[in-house]
Amino acid sequence: MATKTAEELLALGLRDRWYPLCPSGTVKRGELTRIERAGEQLLLWRDSAGVVHVQEDRCPHRGARLSLGVHMGDRVACNYHGVQVDGDGVVVSVPGSPGCALEGRPALRTFPAQEHAGAVFAWFGLDEAAEPTPLQVPDPIAGGEWDNFLCYVEWDAPYGYSLDNLLDPMHGAFLHRNSHTMFGGKREAVFQIRAIDDGFVFEKTDQRGVNFDWVQLTDAGAQWVTLDIPYPETAGPGGAFTIVAALCAINETQHAAFFWRCRKVSGWERDSWRVLYRNRLEARHWAVLEQDREMAEAMPLDAWDRENLYQHDIALVRMRRLLRSEARRQAAALAAPPAAPAPAAPVPAPTR
């Protein structure tokens, strides 16, 4: 991939990560879908078997937008000169010059892609040829005893602002004070950070199960934020309301956010929860999310340069240090010259 500075990686997302791109329903059979994610112009499409493909939206011939082309079942044809590429990025036909050197070449950058929990994920690797790590998802969106609804939004704010918001339990007691779930609890707290494998938990030391009281950040091939919101009995079966969140930068000033709203329910309780959510609870959650959107989009782009943090913000400090350290490492790796090929083995002298 092209060289990027540490600041660009921080703004657009670290590499060697899986990122959710869009809800699965965005990519329809027989259609070509163009989106921007992590600063990359992408083409998404499904082949005749329904498998989703994520590729650079750039014809390998002259750079025209493939998304303006023609879906041909298991290949895409550029509308400019008819060049056809398959789901692996291989040029399978050049109608204007059959048999030319371009045919048969893997010439289009193709991103490993998977679908899970109603979303399309893609791997953005430092080394485009390297195999991705397995996509591991948190238990609440892995199926089994858990059920979920995906809430998807696109906001006009840097993705870091939403990550800050998710790692800030204290704002629930103020910004969301009048919501149907976060009206209780104290407005002051002392927090602690507890290390876990591949991340940390940020939690109040003197309150649990009352408000937005803890949050967990996990970064292992993908970045996940998990938290619980206490639910009253009137919200039906399933215990606490769990949110699994993942973010993807669109560009430096916009991002896509995925919020899976989960409960641990099965059998008749699952049916009851789904009906209750759709008919009563969903609109209330959208109202809470709208409060977050208004706050994030109104923040100035230099907010981080002029902030004054205190004890409630220690998770933000920890998270930003981790991201900056990794961004510097990745930027250095991208800037390093390619390794020289190993010298050829000497040819043994012929024997008589």
Side-chain angles (χ1 to χ4, degrees), residues 34-294:
R34 179 176 184 268
I35 63 173
E36 180 182 10
R37 294 293 183 271
E40 306 278 358
Q41 306 298 320
L42 302 175
L43 166 70
L44 281 66
W45 58 284
R46 296 183 185 277
D47 61 24
S48 58
V51 176
V52 69
H53 299 280
V54 178
Q55 299 175 309
E56 188 176 10
D57 189 14
R58 179 185 178 89
C59 178
H61 172 220
R62 292 270 299 279
R65 295 292 185 197
L66 283 174
S67 57
L68 298 176
V70 180
H71 192 297
M72 300 182 66
D74 291 319
R75 62 181 69 177
V76 175
C78 179
N79 240 1
Y80 203 11
H81 297 92
V83 173
Q84 300 173 18
V85 295
D86 66 13
D88 295 321
V90 175
V91 177
V92 292
S93 178
V94 180
S97 182
C100 76
L102 188 57
E103 289 188 342
R105 284 177 52 193
L108 179 64
R109 185 181 180 190
T110 298
F111 299 79
Q114 292 186 28
E115 291 185 82
H116 196 87
V120 176
F121 290 79
W123 171 264
F124 291 78
L126 277 178
D127 181 352
E128 297 173 15
E131 288 294 315
T133 63
L135 173 60
Q136 300 179 358
V137 302
D139 287 345
I141 62 171
E145 295 182 294
W146 288 89
D147 191 32
N148 69 79
F149 291 91
L150 171 59
C151 169
Y152 172 77
V153 297
E154 295 180 16
W155 289 352
D156 293 327
Y159 92 96
Y161 287 6
S162 274
L163 189 54
D164 284 352
N165 185 69
L166 287 166
L167 291 176
D168 171 25
M170 204 63 207
H171 84 271
F174 292 87
L175 181 62
H176 306 314
R177 188 72 176 183
N178 295 322
S179 76
H180 68 294
T181 55
M182 287 180 275
F183 53 84
K186 299 183 293 184
R187 291 197 178 193
E188 66 282 340
V190 175
F191 285 87
Q192 67 180 10
I193 290 179
R194 176 164 48 88
I196 59 171
D197 291 342
D198 301 314
F200 62 84
V201 175
F202 183 54
E203 57 194 352
K204 296 175 182 176
T205 60
D206 59 350
Q207 180 174 289
R208 192 79 168 196
V210 180
N211 201 305
F212 176 10
D213 295 331
W214 64 271
V215 61
Q216 176 176 312
L217 174 70
T218 307
D219 191 346
Q223 193 173 75
W224 305 98
V225 178
T226 307
L227 57 101
D228 273 357
I229 302 297
Y231 250 12
E233 292 183 1
T234 55
F241 179 67
T242 298
I243 297 175
V244 174
L247 308 171
C248 183
I250 296 175
N251 50 48
E252 293 182 346
T253 60
Q254 296 175 305
H255 70 278
F258 299 73
F259 302 96
W260 285 272
R261 296 164 170 175
C262 315
R263 293 194 88 178
K264 196 170 187 179
V265 285
S266 58
W268 70 266
E269 289 188 340
R270 176 171 297 189
D271 296 335
S272 175
W273 145 247
R274 295 188 70 84
V275 171
L276 187 60
Y277 178 84
R278 285 300 193 196
N279 287 282
R280 182 189 302 177
L281 302 174
E282 184 175 21
R284 298 177 181 178
H285 288 295
W286 274 108
V288 172
L289 200 58
E290 182 65 9
Q291 293 175 328
D292 289 323
R293 182 197 66 79
E294 290 179 349

Side-chain angles (χ1 to χ4, degrees), residues 298-313:
M299 291 181 69
L301 294 178
D302 66 347
W304 284 6
D305 298 328
R306 303 176 62 180
E307 62 189 3
N308 295 279
L309 305 180
Y310 54 91
Q311 203 272 340
H312 291 174
D313 305 310

